[in-house]
Amino acid sequence: MEKFASDAVEFLPILMHGVALTIIVTLGSLVLSTLLGLVWALMRVSGIAPLSWASAAIINLIRGIPIIVLLFYLYFVMPDLGVTMTALQAAIVGLGIAYSAYQAENFRAGIEAIDKGQIEAAQAIGMGWGLTMRRVILPQAVRIVLPPYGNVMIMMLKDSSQASTITVAELALQGKLIASSTFKNTSVFTLVALMYLTMSIPLILLVRHFEKRAGRK
Amino acid sequence: MIELRDVHKRFGSHEVLKGITASVTKGEVVCIIGPSGSGKSTILRCINGLESYDSGDITIEGARVDRTAPSIVAVRTQVSMVFQRFNLFPHRTALENVIEGPVFVKKEKRGLAVERGRALLAQVGLADKADAHPPQLSGGQQQRVAIARALAMQPKAILFDEPTSALDPELVGEVLSVMRKLAEAGMTMVVVTHEMGFAREVADRVLFIDGGVIVEQGPAKAVLNQPQHPRTQDFLRRVLHPM
């Protein structure tokens, strides 16, 4: 235990660099996946058949490819096609795309849960599709969508560790590097696990808060 | 003002409207009565383009209603609708519900819309509920807010789709009395209803619809007191004396 404490003091500063990258990857891909997910979801519910099909195809394509393969593709294959990204950019884009499929399905479920009467009431006062979405449907769907959205945030935080496979020195890779140079596997990986857990706890509390709020109305 | 000429509408293989021809003149109150599933609500929903129709013509002051054309927005701002289940926006207050259309569709100045919105809420007896959210209101109050929301568009006509059918019996009166005042003020109204008392006293004309056709129509008192067609007679007997 004493040894763990002294190891912790020694390794924490290095691991904190990893934490910073983990947070950057998570936040970046969260924003990207939310935007893309919203686009896929709105295409899906647009009522325009080609858009709806395209969205379904994109979602299934993304869902059918492992995140790690998507990352390899972006980082190792895209340069051959003339698109070069830094490892960090590729990680954010890859995780963002991968998670956009889940976000889209979540958003779609939220949108479709809204009573059809709301759409009709909006149309009856002359609202078009965009205004109906923006003023009537989405504000109500947010309440339904938030608890699962929080869960996606937790999953993304943990899956940001997959960025380590394309050399992003986030928390998991920093841990692995320290462990392989010091052979203090137990201390290092316990620390890494505890740090992920520490970052998850606020998100878990946030989800609980969302669930309470959604349950109230 | 509202003209329907030989309007047909089918849902799949089921033909709901089998050639409806009718007209509503300015300031007139027309009640549509008939059994469930007869196509009453579908007529209203075709008039403001919530449903498409397959053939025939619906025109409002000469302009054809086509739900896929951009002109449908103009139709809907001129012909408001009040729904059976109110369909208020639950995430907005009563006042916000009322000003939503004027501010975001008709681009009225917010201050002006709020002023008019408050006056309309007062007109339906809900001046003190402006800041309440719909779930905090009774069904009767919600429906009156919905009527204020319809009026806020300054429509030329209002369509009422069974406005009291989802209400507890003791709340029906407050909604009907608001509607009666509107009728007296000269609003053009088309009302799908099961309230025969309202139809008799307030409507200028009554259409009896059954099986997708207008079986009988005429002045309210004539149709309701001396129905000519056996199906009208049978329907009214069952509605007025259910036991």
Side-chain angles (χ1 to χ4, degrees):
Chain A
M1 196 60 212
E2 242 170 65
K3 212 169 155 331
F4 178 72
S6 69
D7 284 347
V9 171
E10 188 186 344
F11 300 141
L12 258 177
I14 311 171
L15 290 176
M16 285 312 282
H17 288 293
V19 167
L21 270 173
T22 291
I23 291 174
I24 290 169
V25 170
T26 305
L27 283 181
S29 52
L30 183 69
V31 169
L32 183 63
S33 67
T34 303
L35 294 177
L36 282 178
L38 197 57
V39 171
W40 307 149
L42 289 176
M43 281 167 68
R44 193 70 193 270
V45 301
S46 65
I48 301 166
L51 286 184
S52 181
W53 292 334
S55 158
I58 291 167
I59 289 171
N60 284 327
L61 180 75
I62 295 170
R63 267 202 301 213
I65 300 173
I67 293 176
I68 198 169
V69 176
L70 203 57
L71 292 176
F72 287 164
Y73 211 88
L74 285 169
Y75 192 56
F76 298 120
V77 180
M78 291 309 274
D80 292 347
L81 304 173
V83 181
T84 312
M85 282 182 275
T86 66
L88 181 62
Q89 287 166 344
I92 289 172
V93 171
L95 282 164
I97 291 175
Y99 267 92
S100 70
Y102 303 103
Q103 302 276 33
E105 291 295 272
N106 180 23
F107 295 158
R108 179 169 73 103
I111 290 168
E112 287 179 348
I114 305 299
D115 179 22
K116 294 284 167 284
Q118 292 289 307
I119 299 175
E120 295 189 342
Q123 288 181 337
I125 56 173
M127 286 189 174
W129 189 84
L131 209 49
T132 301
M133 277 294 156
R134 187 162 65 79
R135 295 289 307 169
V136 177
I137 304 300
L138 293 181
Q140 296 185 65
V142 165
R143 201 175 273 280
I144 300 168
V145 160
L146 273 181
Y149 186 80
N151 282 320
V152 167
M153 283 164 70
I154 296 170
M155 281 159 57
M156 292 187 79
L157 172 68
K158 293 184 295 177
D159 272 342
S160 68
S161 59
Q162 302 212 40
S164 63
T165 58
I166 54 168
T167 75
V168 177
E170 43 64 71
L171 181 54
L173 184 54
Q174 289 287 12
K176 195 177 149 216
L177 292 175
I178 299 172
S180 58
S181 61
T182 62
F183 301 108
K184 289 181 174 167
N185 287 312
T186 313
S187 297
V188 171
F189 287 122
T190 306
L191 265 178
V192 168
L194 285 174
M195 290 168 88
Y196 274 113
L197 193 61
T198 309
M199 288 188 280
S200 299
I201 285 168
L203 296 178
I204 291 167
L205 293 177
L206 192 65
V207 171
R208 191 183 295 171
H209 170 72
F210 288 154
E211 278 169 348
K212 266 199 210 131
R213 234 181 53 161
R216 219 171 32 218
K217 268 211 175 169
Chain B
M1 183 191 162
I2 302 173
E3 301 275 348
L4 294 90
R5 233 182 345 268
D6 195 27
V7 173
H8 288 256
K9 162 78 182 168
R10 55 171 64 244
F11 290 113
S13 61
H14 177 56
E15 189 166 30
V16 206
L17 302 181
K18 300 173 183 166
I20 299 287
T21 299
S23 65
V24 180
T25 57
K26 193 171 174 345
E28 202 179 19
V29 177
V30 174
C31 279
I32 304 179
I33 62 169
S36 308
S38 57
K40 309 184 295 288
S41 294
T42 307
I43 295 177
L44 286 196
R45 296 165 59 81
C46 285
I47 292 176
N48 76 342
L50 285 181
E51 299 281 359
S52 59
Y53 49 100
D54 300 323
S55 64
D57 286 300
I58 299 176
T59 56
I60 290 166
E61 293 195 321
R64 190 167 189 278
V65 177
D66 176 356
R67 88 184 294 261
T68 57
S71 63
I72 194 67
V73 171
V75 166
R76 287 171 176 158
T77 54
Q78 289 169 28
V79 181
S80 291
M81 182 139 179
V82 173
F83 297 89
Q84 181 176 355
R85 302 209 51 83
F86 333 130
N87 297 358
L88 292 177
F89 307 130
H91 57 304
R92 305 198 186 284
T93 65
L95 181 63
E96 286 167 347
N97 266 276
V98 174
I99 66 170
E100 184 74 17
V103 171
F104 290 93
V105 179
K106 296 179 85 176
K107 312 281 183 202
E108 278 177 27
K109 288 232 164 55
R110 194 177 185 90
L112 188 72
V114 166
E115 201 177 302
R116 272 189 41 234
R118 287 192 187 281
L120 286 170
L121 284 173
Q123 188 184 329
V124 298
L126 292 172
D128 56 331
K129 299 291 185 189
D131 298 322
H133 280 82
Q136 300 165 315
L137 300 173
S138 73
Q141 291 170 331
Q142 288 191 52
Q143 193 61 300
R144 285 185 281 151
V145 173
I147 293 173
R149 177 172 70 177
L151 286 169
M153 299 302 287
Q154 299 180 302
K156 292 174 177 161
I158 303 184
L159 313 173
F160 293 83
D161 187 6
E162 301 199 30
T164 58
S165 295
L167 296 178
D168 290 335
E170 78 271 22
L171 302 177
V172 168
E174 63 191 61
V175 171
L176 290 182
S177 90
V178 167
M179 291 169 60
R180 174 197 287 268
K181 278 188 212 143
L182 279 182
E184 285 163 359
M187 176 59 74
T188 309
M189 295 163 58
V190 184
V191 187
V192 169
T193 187
H194 292 293
E195 296 292 334
M196 296 305 148
F198 176 84
R200 185 178 290 115
E201 288 175 39
V202 180
D204 298 304
R205 267 189 312 129
V206 167
L207 308 186
F208 173 68
I209 310 249
D210 193 10
V213 295
I214 298 176
V215 174
E216 185 167 349
Q217 61 174 312
K221 289 200 174 60
V223 174
L224 295 171
N225 295 342
Q226 286 113 31
Q228 300 300 308
H229 198 285
R231 269 149 81 191
T232 322
Q233 293 165 358
D234 184 48
F235 172 75
L236 287 172
R237 195 161 42 239
R238 277 184 288 122
V239 171
L240 297 173
H241 309 288
M243 298 295 277

